[in-house]
Structure formats: C-alpha cells, structure tokens
Amino acid sequence: MADKLTWKDADEIAYSLIDKFPGQDPLKLSFPTLHKMVVELEDFGDDPAKSSEAILESIQMAWYEEVK
C-alpha cells in the first residue's frame, strides 16, 4: 500500500472523506468534527496534533470544490 496520508494531502484527504461520507455537506461541519473525521480515516497516518485551522479549512474547501 502507498504511504499514509498526512495533513499536507488536503486533496487526497478530501477524496477519502467523499468516499466515506457521501452526501455530507463539508461546509456544515465544525473544525473539531472535521478533525475527528480525518484522523479516523483508515489511510490517514499523521500526528493528530499537527493539524491547524488553516489545514482543516484547506481540506474542507478541497472537499467542497469536489462536491459542489
């Protein structure tokens, strides 16, 4: 299997979230909820503490751009 996803992989994380949570509106998620969803992804392997609001926003926007 390929390397695990890290916080730098916003687009790939967005695709994984779309697969796992079809129909979810990413703009209705709080950052704490989004953080929890990301760290629980099977292919995510980064340190949960290395996240930031900017990182979560970039994931949220990448997800939104794919599903809008």
Side-chain angles (χ1 to χ4, degrees), residues 39-60:
V39 299
E40 290 178 353
L41 288 171
E42 186 175 321
D43 52 352
F44 184 76
D46 206 348
D47 181 351
K50 290 185 178 178
S51 173
S52 69
E53 189 170 303
I55 290 170
L56 291 170
E57 184 176 16
S58 68
I59 293 167
Q60 185 182 46

Side-chain angles (χ1 to χ4, degrees), residues 3-68:
D3 292 336
K4 295 281 190 175
L5 295 173
T6 70
W7 290 115
K8 295 178 183 179
D9 302 317
D11 290 337
E12 292 82 3
I13 290 171
Y15 297 137
S16 292
L17 290 167
I18 290 166
D19 289 343
K20 188 168 181 177
F21 304 101
Q24 173 68 54
D25 182 347
L27 299 183
K28 293 187 177 184
L29 296 171
S30 67
F31 286 152
T33 300
L34 179 57
H35 182 275
K36 183 177 188 297
M37 292 166 79
V38 171
V39 299
E40 290 178 353
L41 288 171
E42 186 175 321
D43 52 352
F44 184 76
D46 206 348
D47 181 351
K50 290 185 178 178
S51 173
S52 69
E53 189 170 303
I55 290 170
L56 291 170
E57 184 176 16
S58 68
I59 293 167
Q60 185 182 46
M61 290 298 99
W63 185 354
Y64 174 71
E65 288 298 318
E66 288 299 316
V67 300
K68 72 175 183 179

